[in-house]
RNA sequence: GCGCCCGUAGCUCAGUUGGAUAGAGUGUUGGCCUCCGAAGCCAAAGGUCAGAGGUUCGAAUCCUCUCGGGCGCACCA
């Protein structure tokens, strides 16, 4: 439909160029848009205003010329000039009818297209440290990433979803040490748990499992651990150093346990938490094609190779015993350490290796979805890509802002380390998966968001999730009624009688549902699933209005079949849209 | 101090990349079930788009500054 209007304008413009009224070679991309108001017709175009200068006449004058050269079209009722020079197109009602047939024919495939041309894209998201359960902050990234993946794949990209598992760093050592200390507690050792350790109860659960498997084989006395050479932990009065304290305990664990036993605890913790995360996300409808381990980068030499590449390109230098990347030459605000004085590589080094690896795997482009607190290292990733001669546009970073939880007016605090955070699992349990997925993507991702638990759980108040699901369920209910009345729906006859749909509510609903595939594309190419959310709300509204105004199951069979075609198409669009959002389209509620 | 995100109705947010009279939900007020599901519909009221300049036919949108909020600024991850 939209394409048809575009074709008409293009044809007219070519005519004008051939007759010399427009200069050759100006290639303004013609933008045909849905009108904001029905009184402006169905589609509008601003090309006359844009090209007025080049044509050396007023916008309205040019608009008139364009109108004069429009080729005839059976779908067009009229086209007129409005305001400063808009071209407004009024279409025959029949122009919308094809959409109904298309939807009913394509069913759950309706809305798919080949915009992405099969290009391979890697979407990395969540990637939370496996040091504890996911909390509500991770939930937004999970919902957004999964939904974005759905949209990209719907418009023809080959999407690879990936979770980067930070299984190699200091945080994991802190976890392993925390587990070990809890284990010793279980055996009756008098340990003083470090402030900087992981406090959550899940650590005790892992310790218990280890005790079950290993008995007291990993036991060492508290006296042997808390020796005088360990720096004191942070005290109430502010003295001491919690970082130095925990680092010393890690060293102690490694030496006392030996490499193999330490690795056992480390792995036990990692596996337990990763399994928990995997299950949590699975229940949330978030699946990954790959869980990419940071450790494999070191084991497979990717990390060394990456560092060598930067070295070879001459973008590194040594200072104070460390190896640095000259990031400032590529737009970053400071240079970054790759290898520390103690010989250990930094997180940034493995990130370089990881992103190099992504592109080595043959992806056309990659998308990183980070929490907003990570925005600081977008420039440094782009910096090393530039340093190695890669096009930084091949990596797009989307920052997801935090969600602030409210219960009614009360703001819920979230402190992670203390263990008093709200987990994603708790949230899902309280509000349900559908509402959680919906609320997370309801807002633009870079928008700060208030997540009101009370609103999300309300079934009586106006909850947007239920509002849309209700529209779907209502249509299903109509078809149940039809069966109860021993009536059937003749789809073919309905399609042939769509001209009987002359009610104003039918007009509006038809117009609304015809936008569906445009909305899928807009959501995908802008990386903004919330566009779909707002559309579905709007579509549901038109359905409810129609429902209140007209009876669908009427005696007049052709009219009845036509109306059932219309609402059946609406049901399909609602179902497809909800599926992309990861929300279920229920048949009754 | 420097950088990133943001500021739109009482509240929560849209505004399709510069278009027409700035829109929804919620809240407030008033209507609508003998009828396919009232978790619904309709109507009214509600605005200096944080503020000030600038760019042009035209700005909530782009540029500069100011104010206000969130988040970053490690040889941590």
């Amino acid at each position: 439909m939209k394409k048809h209007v575009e074709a008409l304008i293009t044809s007219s413009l070519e005519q004008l160029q051939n007759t010399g009224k427009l200069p050759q070679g100006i290639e303004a991309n013609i933008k045909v848009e849905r009108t904001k108001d029905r009184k402006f017709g169905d589609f509008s175009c601003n090309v006359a205003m844009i090209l007025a200068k080049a044509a050396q006449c007023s916008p309205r004058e040019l608009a008139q010329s364009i109108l004069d050269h429009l080729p005839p079209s059976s779908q067009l009722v009229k086209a007129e000039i409005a305001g400063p020079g808009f071209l407004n197109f009024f279409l025959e009602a029949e122009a919308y009818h094809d959409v109904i047939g298309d939807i009913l024919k394509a069913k759950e495939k309706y809305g798919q297209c080949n915009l992405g041309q099969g290009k391979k894209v890697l979407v990395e998201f969540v990637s939370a440290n496996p040091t504890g359960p996911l909390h509500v902050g991770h939930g937004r990234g999970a919902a957004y990433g999964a939904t974005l993946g759905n949209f990209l794949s719907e418009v023809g990209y080959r999407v690879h979803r990936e979770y980067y598992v930070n299984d190699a760093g200091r945080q994991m050592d802190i976890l392993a040490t925390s587990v070990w200390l809890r284990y010793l507690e279980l055996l009756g050792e008098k340990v003083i748990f470090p402030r900087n350790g992981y406090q959550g109860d899940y650590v005790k659960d892992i310790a218990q499992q280890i005790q079950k498997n290993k008995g007291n084989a990993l036991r060492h006395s508290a006296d042997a651990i808390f020796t005088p050479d360990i720096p004191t932990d942070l005290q109430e009065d502010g003295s001491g150093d919690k970082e130095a304290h925990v680092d010393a305990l890690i060293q102690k664990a490694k030496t006392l346990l030996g490499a193999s036993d330490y690795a056992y605890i480390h792995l036990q913790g990692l596996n337990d938490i990763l399994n928990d995360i995997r299950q949590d996300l699975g229940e949330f409808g978030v699946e990954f094609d790959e869980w990419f381990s940071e450790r494999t980068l070191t084991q497979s030499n990717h990390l060394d190779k990456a560092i060598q590449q930067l070295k070879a390109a001459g973008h590194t230098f040594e200072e104070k015993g460390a190896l640095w990347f000259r990031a400032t030459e590529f737009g970053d605000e400071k240079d970054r350490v790759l290898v520390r004085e103690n010989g250990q590589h930094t997180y940034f080094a493995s990130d370089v290796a990881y992103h190099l690896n992504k592109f080595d795997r043959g992806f056309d482009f990659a998308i990183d979805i980070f929490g907003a607190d990570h925005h600081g290292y977008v420039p440094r990733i782009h910096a090393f890509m530039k340093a190695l001669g890669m096009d930084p546009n091949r990596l797009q970073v989307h920052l997801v802002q935090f969600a602030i939880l409210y219960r009614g007016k009360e703001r819920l605090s979230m402190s992670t380390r203390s263990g008093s955070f709200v987990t994603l699992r708790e949230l899902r349990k309280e509000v349900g998966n559908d509402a959680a997925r919906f609320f997370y993507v309801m807002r633009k991702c870079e928008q700060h968001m208030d997540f009101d638990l009370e609103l999300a759980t309300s079934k009586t108040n106006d909850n947007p999730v239920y509002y849309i699901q209700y529209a779907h369920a209502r249509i299903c209910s109509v078809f149940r009624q039809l069966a109860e009345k021993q009536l059937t729906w003749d789809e073919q006859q309905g399609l042939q009688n769509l001209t009987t749909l002359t009610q104003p509510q039918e007009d509006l609903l038809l117009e609304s549902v015809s936008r569906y595939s445009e909305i899928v594309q807009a959501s995908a190419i802008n990386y903004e699933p919330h566009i779909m959310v707002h559309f579905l709300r709007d579509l549901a509204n038109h359905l409810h209005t129609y429902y209140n105004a007209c009876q669908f199951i009427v005696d007049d069979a052709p009219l009845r079949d036509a109306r059932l075609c219309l609402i059946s198409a609406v049901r399909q669009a609602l179902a497809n849209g909800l599926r992309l959002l990861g929300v279920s389209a229920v048949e009754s509620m």
Side-chain angles (χ1 to χ4, degrees), chain A residues 552-568:
Chain A
F552 308 147
I553 303 176
V554 291
D555 291 335
D556 179 355
L559 178 62
R560 183 178 69 227
D561 288 331
R563 287 186 168 170
L564 292 175
C565 278
L566 173 58
I567 63 169
S568 184

Side-chain angles (χ1 to χ4, degrees), chain A residues 248-496:
Chain A
L249 289 178
I250 292 169
Q251 279 316 310
K252 207 68 157 181
K254 285 181 176 172
T255 45
L256 287 176
L257 285 164
S260 141
D261 280 350
Y262 181 81
Y264 172 80
I265 295 175
H266 192 279
L267 190 67
Q268 202 71 17
L270 172 68
N271 284 343
D272 190 274
I273 289 171
L274 216 47
N275 282 336
D276 176 74
I277 289 175
R278 194 179 277 125
Q279 192 195 351
D280 197 10
L281 289 173
E283 287 169 9
F284 198 35
V286 177
E287 302 285 349
F288 290 90
D289 299 296
E290 190 163 344
W291 297 71
F292 191 96
S293 155
E294 182 188 357
R295 277 193 300 182
T296 60
L297 288 171
T298 23
Q299 286 158 6
S300 63
N301 259 348
H302 276 94
L303 212 146
D304 292 336
K305 269 192 255 171
I307 292 172
Q308 285 311 316
Q309 256 179 279
L310 280 173
K311 247 188 196 167
H315 300 307
T316 61
F317 65 98
E318 287 192 38
E319 191 178 294
K320 288 186 251 170
L323 182 71
W324 297 68
F325 165 54
R326 222 179 276 283
T328 45
E329 280 185 15
F330 302 95
D332 199 1
E333 61 183 16
K334 48 183 79 167
D335 293 327
R336 305 291 172 184
V337 171
L338 291 162
V339 182
R340 281 180 256 168
E341 192 180 1
N342 63 10
Q344 287 187 321
H345 64 82
T346 58
Y347 177 79
F348 174 61
S350 48
D351 226 26
V352 171
Y354 178 42
H355 282 89
L356 274 177
N357 175 272
K358 282 184 180 177
F359 291 108
D360 283 347
R361 280 186 277 160
F363 290 102
D364 292 293
F365 65 103
I367 297 173
D368 283 358
I369 295 165
F370 291 157
D373 53 337
H374 285 58
H375 70 254
Y377 60 87
V378 178
R380 78 187 74 162
I381 298 175
H382 279 143
F384 93 77
M385 289 181 74
K386 283 183 236 167
L388 294 179
M390 303 163 75
D391 178 6
N393 289 325
R394 285 177 71 196
L395 175 73
Q396 294 182 31
V397 183
H398 292 274
L399 298 171
V400 177
Q401 294 290 333
F402 296 125
I404 302 165
L405 279 188
Y406 283 86
R407 198 184 302 280
K409 294 269 178 236
E410 181 203 357
R411 180 173 174 159
L412 273 53
S413 71
M414 289 185 295
S415 55
T416 42
R417 193 57 66 92
S418 66
S420 70
F421 49 83
V422 180
T423 64
L424 175 59
R425 189 172 270 116
E426 284 163 356
L427 175 80
R428 293 194 295 107
K429 198 177 162 195
E430 179 162 343
V431 310
N433 285 323
D434 283 344
R437 285 288 297 259
F438 190 91
F439 270 69
Y440 272 134
V441 297
M442 193 160 63
R443 309 297 181 210
K444 255 205 306 237
C445 71
E446 68 263 31
Q447 179 72 253
H448 302 267
M449 168 176 104
D450 288 355
F451 193 130
D452 187 347
L453 292 171
E454 238 164 53
L455 181 63
T457 41
S458 76
K459 296 192 179 176
T460 47
N461 275 0
D462 290 43
N463 184 330
V465 195
Y466 292 102
Y467 184 86
I468 296 166
Q469 286 180 321
Y470 181 47
H472 184 269
R474 257 185 157 176
I475 298 170
C476 293
S477 174
V478 170
F479 281 91
R480 286 193 293 269
Q481 284 292 324
L482 188 73
E484 265 176 45
K485 292 184 175 166
Q486 312 282 325
L487 292 169
T488 53
W489 165 43
D490 187 330
E491 185 179 320
Q492 284 316 309
Q493 176 161 275
L495 288 174
Q496 278 156 27

Side-chain angles (χ1 to χ4, degrees), chain A residues 181-191 211 216 219-222:
Chain A
L181 293 174
R182 291 299 188 201
Y183 159 84
L184 295 176
E185 265 179 358
L186 287 173
L187 295 176
E189 291 294 337
K190 288 208 164 50
V191 308
Q211 189 200 4
N216 58 6
R219 181 168 187 167
H220 288 264
S221 77

Side-chain angles (χ1 to χ4, degrees), chain A residues 137-262:
Chain A
H138 300 124
R140 191 172 182 187
Y144 176 71
T147 306
L148 185 60
N150 288 347
F151 275 98
L152 290 176
S153 113
E154 195 76 352
V155 300
Y157 289 96
R158 279 150 67 196
V159 179
H160 183 84
R161 293 149 223 248
E162 192 158 294
Y163 186 118
Y164 182 54
V165 183
N166 293 123
D167 51 8
R170 174 170 173 265
Q171 294 304 321
M172 283 306 295
D173 281 326
I174 295 177
L175 177 78
T177 303
S178 300
V179 169
W180 185 50
L181 293 174
R182 291 299 188 201
Y183 159 84
L184 295 176
E185 265 179 358
L186 287 173
L187 295 176
E189 291 294 337
K190 288 208 164 50
V191 308
I192 305 149
F193 201 78
R195 284 195 180 232
N196 217 18
Y198 285 96
Q199 312 280 345
D201 284 342
Y202 60 92
V203 176
K204 295 177 186 170
D205 297 340
I206 300 167
Q208 209 154 34
Q209 191 58 44
I210 291 176
Q211 189 200 4
K212 211 176 276 176
N213 296 346
K214 290 278 187 176
N216 58 6
L218 306 175
R219 181 168 187 167
H220 288 264
S221 77
D223 293 341
I225 299 165
F226 296 92
T227 49
D229 57 309
I230 301 272
T232 47
D233 201 355
L234 183 64
Q235 302 297 307
E236 294 290 340
D237 60 13
S239 69
D241 183 342
K242 59 179 182 176
E243 303 291 347
H245 178 69
V246 81
D247 280 337
L249 289 178
I250 292 169
Q251 279 316 310
K252 207 68 157 181
K254 285 181 176 172
T255 45
L256 287 176
L257 285 164
S260 141
D261 280 350
Y262 181 81

Side-chain angles (χ1 to χ4, degrees), chain A residues 471-534:
Chain A
H472 184 269
R474 257 185 157 176
I475 298 170
C476 293
S477 174
V478 170
F479 281 91
R480 286 193 293 269
Q481 284 292 324
L482 188 73
E484 265 176 45
K485 292 184 175 166
Q486 312 282 325
L487 292 169
T488 53
W489 165 43
D490 187 330
E491 185 179 320
Q492 284 316 309
Q493 176 161 275
L495 288 174
Q496 278 156 27
N497 286 285
L498 291 176
T499 47
T500 59
L501 303 179
T502 53
Q503 296 298 313
Q505 294 86 357
E506 291 169 333
D507 245 25
L508 291 171
L509 186 55
L510 212 44
E511 192 272 339
S512 181
V513 75
S514 76
R515 300 168 102 111
Y516 177 79
S517 52
E518 291 163 35
I519 296 294
V520 174
Q521 291 173 34
S523 305
I525 56 180
N526 294 308
Y527 307 103
E528 290 177 351
H530 77 278
I531 294 174
M532 177 60 81
V533 173
H534 285 95

